[in-house]
Amino acid sequence: MLRNFAFAGQSTRGFDEAWEQPWGEYRSVRNHYNELTVRFDEKNWDKRRMTVVFRVYDDGVGFRYELPQQTKLGHANIADELTEFAIAEPGEAWWDPAFEWNREEYVYNRTPIEQVGTAQTPLTVRTVSGLHLSFHEAALVDYSGMNLRRVGGRTFKAVLTPSSNGPKVSRDTPFATPWRVIMIAPDAPSLYRSAQIILNLNEANKLGDVSWVKPMKYVGIWWDMHLDRKTWNSGPKHGATTEYTKRMIDFAAKNGFGGVLVEGWNKGWDGDWFGRGFEFSFTEPYPDFDIAEVTRYARSKGVVLIGHHETAGNIANYEKQLGPALDLYQRLGVPAVKTGYVADAGGIQAEGADGKIHFEWHEGQVMVNHHLKVVTEAARRHIAVNPHEPVKDTGLRRTYPNWVSREGQRGMEYNAWGEPKNPPEHEANLVFTRLISGPMDFTPGVLSLTGKNNTQILSTLAKQLALYVVIYSPIQMAPDLIENYEANPQTFKFIKDVAVDWDETRMLAGEVGDMAVFARKARGSDQWFVGAVGDEQERRFDVALDFLKPGQRYRAEIYRDGDDADYRTNPRSIVIEQKVVTARARLAMRIAPGGGAAVRFVPIR
Ligand code: NOJ
Ligand code: CA
């Protein structure tokens, strides 16, 4: 395939169109590119044909391979993809190792480009001349996920995720591969914005009216289990009881949260569920969880129940029950489900064409197809989906806007467990890597700043608030225990006030892995929010407020690190103050080591 193709023609076109997101970081997204399509014919008797399409943007490039329908290639078994990326200049890379047991959930490495091994995407690079690059893919559909292996110097080769079938991808023609994307920007804030390319390279919304997809904040029976205070399984410490769920519903209703997530409601958690999952039922609740009563009660309080399907990576079991499981939620008015695929990498259990169980990877073609099946089946029933241990995000929320969020990196749960906890720079890394790919269900806002056995989370209090603005997701959890929110009413207020859906997003200042300062305008509102996070060092920023409406006065409700705040010694030190500002003012702040800042701007009428 590699060398035996001859140029057979080319065409070009330009495209420029703005489109609207039903929900997102930006209401309007401009899709502006020049396209080159190059056709190749095989020179030998087979005469197989292939097309390569390039789309060139002001801040990046995408290309993909198209295999048209043809008699000599009715079906393609792809053993490997030979795409290579060679980075001209030396520089630093932020990367997550690929093909390791814990899937995407590794602390980021920051190394010279020449020390990268095999990386997941997005792989982000800053070269010596200050060029910021991120390598990723868009529209990963019926194909296997791409990782990047350094094959010498600064050259990387695509490594497709393996499949138990043999070939990494198996498909009938015609088809196109996912887009291979390089985002290219002069600085860190523009790199973040260039991620719009990922959305632009996806197809338009296929679901029609999606007003039933509701961005929201939610609480849940969740952190309790990660702290070992309650259990998913049945027994004296069972978390998902009717009674406790009603308490959560009351708390949600009282504080303006839209949903209550309940994990451990269904049969199958008893014993060692991890990596097995044959026992999970997605329709039978435990006897102490009256699902009809709980959903009725929620409705009476104007709150929804958020469903949960933990599969333990056993998609054979899940797919058998998928229809009835989603029907149950639809019948009960459960408009969203969090799914889960807890299993070691390569430990997905799927039913093959032979009716036998085969082991697959979380980002292989089988799982890529599984996720889209769940998303489209859920969409038919007006249910939104939020997978944990997911396939990476490649912008498919544009095409399927009920695919609202996902995990896919180390979230807050790591701060509940033992060591190592998420390092102070974790979120400043996420912004320019994982979050380039799309929304993350990180679950910020642990105001106790403690995990299991009173272990300390490596964050200041102000930073927990900042994360709601910094980490984009149209669904944001407030995971901490009710008592911890009730004990911190002043800081909890910000979590109640902050928006989750935006008209506009701007990164006001940022450096990969060091700091990120965001301003976001709430969707359909005149309020703006600023969120800033740093790393383990003290950071400072001084930014113009020229995003505010000229001439308008705003009350700035500021939550910043106290002057003596430090995640090691004084994490709870916070200053909460108000100022009147206009678009002509500036906002200058110190971010403590491990710290952050959050500001709400409310127009004064
Ligand atoms: C891992 C998920 O990330 C977490 O949120 C969930 O509670 C557990 N799996 C159990 O499903
Ligand atoms: Ca997880």
Side-chain angles (χ1 to χ4, degrees), residues 222 226 232 263 269 308 310 338 342 388-389 407 413:
W222 181 76
H226 288 276
W232 283 275
E263 296 198 359
W269 291 92
H308 186 233
E310 173 59 63
K338 169 179 170 179
V342 175
H388 279 225
E389 302 78 51
E407 191 189 43
E413 61 189 19

Side-chain angles (χ1 to χ4, degrees), residues 242-251 253 260 290-305 332:
T242 306
E243 192 202 339
Y244 193 34
T245 308
K246 285 186 172 180
R247 247 190 90 202
M248 272 292 167
I249 291 169
D250 290 341
F251 179 73
V260 175
D290 184 344
I291 194 168
E293 170 57 14
V294 159
T295 45
R296 183 205 63 78
Y297 187 75
R299 201 171 315 120
S300 77
K301 298 273 172 170
V303 170
V304 296
L305 188 76
L332 294 169

